[in-house]
Amino acid sequence: MNFIKRAFYSTKAKKGRTLLLTFVFSAILIFILAGLTIQSASLKATENAKKSMGATVTLSTNMENAMKKSSSSDSDDSSDKSDRPDPGSFSITPVDLDTVNTLAKLDNVASYSISSSTSVNAKSFDAISSEDEEEDESSSSNSSNGGNNQQGGPNSGMQMMRMSSGDITIEGTNDTATASDFTSGTAKITEGVGITEDDVDSNHAVIETNLAKANDISVGDTIKVTDSEDEDIVYKLKVVGIYKTSETADARSMRMTALNPYNAIYTSYTFANKVKGDDYKDSADSVIYTLSDPEKMDTFEKDAKKAGLDTDTYSLRTNDQVYQQMIQPLENVESFAKKIVILVSAAGTVILALIVILMIRERKYEIGVLLSLGEKRFKIIGQFFAELLAVLIVALVIAGVSGKFVGNIVGEQLLEQQATTTASTSNNQGGPGQGGPGQAGGQNLGQGRSGNFGRGSSFSNFGASSAKNAKQIEDLNITLSLKELVELGGFGLAISFLAVIIASIGVMRMQPKKILIS
Amino acid sequence: MMLEVKDVNYWYNNKADALYENVNLTFEKGKLYSILGSSGSGKTTFLSLIAGLDVPKTGEILYEGKSLKKIGLTNYRNQYVSIVFQSYNLLPYMSAVDNIVSAMEITHSHQANRKDYAFSMLEKVGITKELAQKNVQHLSGGQQQRVAIVRAMCCEARLVVADEPTGNLDEKNSLEIVRLFKELAHDQGKCVIVITHEREIAKECDIVLELKHKKFNELQFQN
């Protein structure tokens, strides 16, 4: 262990050199530690994002296949008609509850939200409407009465929907807590309670606060609605909760009362099915499954098929865009941090190797003396390594103290930059959440006794959710743990070892005679 | 016989310009040898051969009958030979005593209390404990050379070779160094080979070999 003692003497005697090495090594380690802490924080944040966010898979009718079936049956029946499908004959199968429950039992399903929507007319209260819409409705009615509407014509589907639509949307759900408006934060229960599984087969309802105020309705009151096609069919709903929505009425909802977000009433999906008719008993328009691990989305799809999901009738649409959008800046930061670690390690090794090479050249004479005394070459190299180790320990302490701060500054700036880039990219692409037809509503146009359409909540709320989640990742919790310090020590050791090995190639070739007798 | 040089030839670039041709020499323990020669005659190269710092082009060097190649040059330098250089060659970042203790550790000296032993040996050559604890660079040339000799004495090697050990010293110090070498040879029974160009130093040695015209000839001085 004589070489360790010599390393100590040398380190102690050559204070300038030791300080220089400590300074350089500290700088290298600070950057590596910053990279490691950012990387670790990004990974943790991604893990948390996975846990908190999950990803969704929507089970709904396979519209494409339904359309194809409709088209083929038309051409079979009437060869004289053109190949185009008849919108009036277009029929789709709602998702049956057995399938819903089978898929809900699969691994990785954190929660699921059943959606079944329809429309009704307000009876004991007034729906919130606009003047434009009244005018529009009257002109529509006139047009209809004028007999311009031809079966199978291009406008017939829309006309059917308009004729069968009421002024109130019934949003049937199994649990308001898992409904997309509520999970995204667009809607919040302000009074009373939401709809839960316990409300199955009940007439409980949750109404919007503006609708409640306008009609002086409070929790515990009973309201009446009528079937949109048959005013004689009256349904009583007991108000168990009031919610507030932050969704604003768009041009579409200004024209159609039922699409006004204030006119949405949440009930159990069983109530919505009851309004829609017997054909819709034990069914749903769509079901959104939230997965606990977004990365197992593909597995879920496979498992669903294995469990007997009829993919001709139903389709599974995956949606991890929120998760992806949320983690994209983190992944970029993590990737950048990884590159920092690799680059700084490589550069550090080269820099240290150069310093050690210069140091060894300067100490050629000392090496000659040691070789003349019969010291083994590996012990001489060991001495240089021990000297670097002593410097490494001091540099580790310095890096440990300052690395966290550097990591915080660099990490926050990186994340801010990445989040801004991601947000602007998302906006430029027109991204999800720009509105559009609601999936649940759109699927069931013209079906059932009542026109069935949603407010586009599944997609329209997606934007709000994205924005909210994008905000969540603006904070990166950069902490210094023992794991990072151990990793840093490992990197330091590897760098020291490589630097000494590179620099020692010369030592291995040195001849004491040439050094000492010249 | 401690050291035997057998049919040794050595040249640098050209065999025709060989420094020596078929050198055959023997060195006994307990004797002080000097190799005398003018500058460039190949004295130092010869030292590098017998010190295990280099190998002859042809021929061989035997230590107590064993070829240096067989012993291994590093092992030979570590266990069997001590070298004293003209420029002292001490480790510059250590004190005199630490230099000696380090050398004893490298050569696996059997001495029990190495530091005390080093102090006592340094004391013998006039290096006080106070001086011994100073960085060697703060000592004079003569003092540094004495430290280098004490290092050779403490390393337990039975062969000591010295290259111009008095080259940088004044007459008084030079004589003191020669006295130490004599003590090493006569009192400690070591074989000491001193390379020098100074006849006055050579005269003090038991056997003087002059390197001239690629040959070693023994010189006899009249006292």
Side-chain angles (χ1 to χ4, degrees):
Chain A
M1 301 305 273
N2 181 247
F3 68 93
I4 292 173
K5 206 164 134 188
R6 286 201 309 271
F8 169 73
Y9 283 128
S10 174
T11 308
K12 197 176 145 195
K14 301 275 179 185
K15 289 187 179 72
R17 188 188 67 199
T18 307
L19 269 175
L20 172 76
L21 273 172
T22 309
F23 177 75
V24 174
F25 218 158
S26 299
I28 292 166
L29 292 185
I30 284 169
F31 280 104
I32 292 177
L33 185 62
L36 286 174
T37 49
I38 294 168
Q39 208 180 340
S40 163
S42 307
L43 282 171
K44 267 183 213 160
T46 310
E47 282 298 311
N48 288 340
K50 273 184 197 170
K51 282 175 194 163
S52 66
M53 194 58 231
T56 58
V57 178
T58 306
L59 171 69
S60 58
T61 306
N62 191 330
M63 292 293 284
E64 203 180 337
N65 278 0
M67 188 63 90
K68 276 180 191 166
K69 275 182 190 170
S70 162
S71 179
S72 62
S73 64
D74 288 345
S75 50
D76 290 346
D77 294 345
S78 51
S79 54
D80 57 322
K81 282 187 182 176
S82 65
D83 284 346
R84 70 182 181 186
D86 172 12
S89 66
F90 178 63
S91 69
I92 53 173
T93 317
V95 182
D96 71 273
L97 278 184
D98 286 343
T99 308
V100 172
N101 292 328
T102 306
L103 266 58
K105 283 172 192 161
L106 292 178
D107 286 344
N108 200 29
V109 174
S111 63
Y112 65 102
S113 175
I114 297 174
S115 172
S116 178
S117 51
T118 186
S119 69
V120 290
N121 281 316
K123 185 172 173 65
S124 66
F125 60 98
D126 294 323
I128 294 174
S129 62
S130 66
E131 283 179 17
D132 288 352
E133 185 249 341
E134 307 243 334
E135 284 167 18
D136 198 57
E137 273 187 355
S138 65
S139 68
S140 168
S141 170
N142 291 339
S143 166
S144 180
N145 291 338
N148 292 334
N149 185 21
Q150 293 175 356
Q151 181 76 23
N155 296 320
S156 62
M158 181 57 80
Q159 292 290 359
M160 276 174 67
M161 183 195 81
R162 298 288 298 273
M163 283 175 74
S164 62
S165 69
D167 50 15
I168 294 289
T169 299
I170 297 292
E171 295 280 8
T173 181
N174 60 326
D175 193 343
T176 44
T178 59
S180 57
D181 276 3
F182 287 86
T183 53
S184 68
T186 312
K188 267 181 194 167
I189 299 284
T190 54
E191 223 178 299
V193 292
I195 300 296
T196 63
E197 291 279 3
D198 296 338
D199 294 312
V200 168
D201 296 329
S202 76
N203 63 341
H204 291 169
V206 176
I207 65 168
E208 213 283 327
T209 185
N210 288 296
L211 185 68
K213 275 180 192 166
N215 292 284
D216 198 23
I217 302 167
S218 50
V219 172
D221 289 353
T222 301
I223 54 171
K224 285 178 187 170
V225 291
T226 61
D227 192 290
S228 58
E229 287 183 346
D230 185 352
E231 286 190 359
D232 294 337
I233 303 172
V234 178
Y235 301 101
K236 281 182 184 175
L237 287 169
K238 189 185 176 189
V239 178
V240 292
I242 293 172
Y243 74 93
K244 186 171 175 55
T245 180
S246 57
E247 198 182 336
T248 50
D250 56 15
R252 214 159 46 94
S253 62
M254 291 295 279
R255 291 167 67 84
M256 296 176 77
T257 308
L259 293 181
N260 189 314
Y262 303 145
N263 290 333
I265 295 178
Y266 281 89
T267 65
S268 168
Y269 64 94
T270 50
F271 177 77
N273 290 344
K274 189 174 148 190
V275 174
K276 282 154 80 177
D278 291 341
D279 290 349
Y280 288 83
K281 200 184 174 195
D282 294 331
S283 72
D285 294 343
S286 67
V287 184
I288 298 173
Y289 294 95
T290 303
L291 307 184
S292 51
D293 187 351
E295 288 183 358
K296 289 183 181 165
M297 206 173 251
D298 292 340
T299 316
F300 177 82
E301 276 189 273
K302 281 176 194 164
D303 290 348
K305 281 171 192 169
K306 270 186 200 167
L309 178 72
D310 177 5
T311 49
D312 285 339
T313 313
Y314 304 121
S315 72
L316 276 177
R317 280 178 299 133
T318 56
N319 179 9
D320 65 345
Q321 279 172 296
V322 174
Y323 167 71
Q324 291 299 342
Q325 190 184 341
M326 188 177 174
I327 64 157
Q328 197 186 347
L330 292 171
E331 281 182 340
N332 291 344
V333 168
E334 191 208 331
S335 156
F336 190 77
K338 201 181 269 180
K339 281 173 193 157
I340 289 178
V341 172
I342 295 166
L343 279 175
V344 174
S345 301
T349 306
V350 173
I351 292 167
L352 272 180
L354 285 173
I355 293 175
V356 178
I357 286 169
L358 291 175
M359 192 173 93
I360 286 175
R361 279 171 69 94
E362 189 192 289
R363 296 169 71 176
K364 220 160 91 173
Y365 161 79
E366 178 192 338
I367 295 165
V369 173
L370 292 168
L371 288 173
S372 75
L373 284 167
E375 181 66 306
K376 289 179 176 70
R377 285 173 202 268
F378 80 85
K379 282 190 177 175
I380 297 171
I381 295 166
Q383 180 187 337
F384 297 140
F385 185 62
E387 285 173 22
L388 262 189
L389 273 189
V391 170
L392 170 67
I393 291 165
V394 181
L396 267 175
V397 174
I398 295 170
V401 172
S402 49
K404 191 193 157 192
F405 300 108
V406 177
N408 259 322
I409 295 164
V410 178
E412 291 301 331
Q413 274 192 347
L414 273 174
L415 188 62
E416 201 178 310
Q417 209 175 5
Q418 290 298 330
T420 312
T421 312
T422 309
S424 68
T425 311
S426 176
N427 287 336
N428 291 339
Q429 287 171 347
Q434 302 297 312
Q439 54 183 347
Q443 287 158 11
N444 293 314
L445 283 174
Q447 291 298 309
R449 276 188 12 222
S450 302
N452 181 17
F453 55 92
R455 295 173 300 110
S457 58
S458 300
F459 281 108
S460 63
N461 290 331
F462 185 67
S465 177
S466 299
K468 185 190 164 210
N469 291 322
K471 201 172 180 181
Q472 282 175 355
I473 50 153
E474 280 170 14
D475 292 323
L476 198 58
N477 186 21
I478 293 172
T479 52
L480 183 63
S481 67
L482 187 68
K483 184 182 161 258
E484 274 95 48
L485 274 179
V486 171
E487 273 182 337
L488 184 69
F491 271 101
L493 266 178
I495 289 172
S496 309
F497 184 74
L498 281 173
V500 170
I501 290 296
I502 294 167
S504 298
I505 294 167
V507 176
M508 300 305 282
R509 292 163 58 191
M510 277 182 185
Q511 294 301 324
K513 184 198 163 190
K514 283 182 185 164
I515 302 165
L516 298 172
I517 308 170
S518 57
Chain B
M1 190 196 312
M2 182 172 272
L3 194 74
E4 186 181 1
V5 179
K6 218 171 162 183
D7 299 325
V8 164
N9 287 281
Y10 193 90
W11 60 87
Y12 279 104
N13 299 318
N14 197 342
K15 197 178 174 181
D17 299 329
L19 282 172
Y20 340 105
E21 280 169 355
N22 300 320
V23 175
N24 286 288
L25 292 170
T26 55
F27 298 92
E28 303 287 336
K29 61 179 181 182
K31 282 185 179 170
L32 176 60
Y33 294 85
S34 79
I35 294 172
L36 196 63
S38 54
S39 293
S41 58
K43 308 187 294 289
T44 302
T45 303
F46 184 72
L47 172 131
S48 71
L49 295 176
I50 58 172
L53 296 170
D54 203 350
V55 285
K57 297 289 179 189
T58 59
E60 61 178 343
I61 297 166
L62 306 169
Y63 180 87
E64 292 186 336
K66 259 190 189 172
S67 164
L68 297 198
K69 273 186 189 170
K70 236 178 197 176
I71 295 171
L73 293 189
T74 303
N75 188 35
Y76 174 69
R77 291 198 301 269
N78 190 257
Q79 295 294 306
Y80 304 100
V81 65
S82 283
I83 315 167
V84 179
F85 295 94
Q86 182 179 1
S87 49
Y88 330 125
N89 287 359
L90 298 169
L91 295 173
Y93 50 82
M94 287 185 187
S95 65
V97 70
D98 288 332
N99 257 283
I100 293 162
V101 172
S102 274
M104 288 168 82
E105 282 169 350
I106 291 170
T107 56
H108 312 290
S109 161
H110 295 99
Q111 200 62 46
N113 201 333
R114 289 168 181 163
K115 201 158 191 169
D116 287 346
Y117 181 70
F119 274 129
S120 69
M121 293 299 280
L122 283 166
E123 200 85 60
K124 276 187 185 174
V125 297
I127 308 282
T128 61
K129 202 168 182 175
E130 196 188 346
L131 272 177
Q133 284 170 316
K134 276 187 179 176
N135 184 288
V136 283
Q137 287 173 313
H138 295 140
L139 303 182
S140 69
Q143 285 169 332
Q144 284 191 53
Q145 193 60 292
R146 274 181 273 168
V147 174
I149 293 167
V150 170
R151 183 173 68 183
M153 289 160 100
C154 293
C155 283
E156 296 176 7
R158 290 163 64 204
L159 173 65
V160 177
V161 292
D163 182 26
E164 301 277 10
T166 55
N168 293 335
L169 305 178
D170 57 26
E171 194 185 341
K172 189 187 161 202
N173 271 310
S174 296
L175 289 172
E176 176 59 23
I177 296 301
V178 172
R179 185 190 67 79
L180 285 172
F181 281 130
K182 275 185 178 171
E183 198 181 299
L184 269 177
H186 302 152
D187 299 349
Q188 293 189 25
K190 295 191 180 190
C191 172
V192 183
I193 305 167
V194 179
I195 308 288
T196 183
H197 65 278
E198 297 170 80
R199 285 192 170 257
E200 294 308 310
I201 300 295
K203 272 183 193 172
E204 298 294 321
C205 299
D206 303 326
I207 295 165
V208 181
L209 298 164
E210 188 180 28
L211 176 58
K212 211 173 184 181
H213 307 304
K214 303 179 184 179
K215 298 279 180 199
F216 286 87
N217 300 306
E218 192 173 337
L219 286 184
Q220 298 290 337
F221 289 102
Q222 285 182 344
N223 287 324

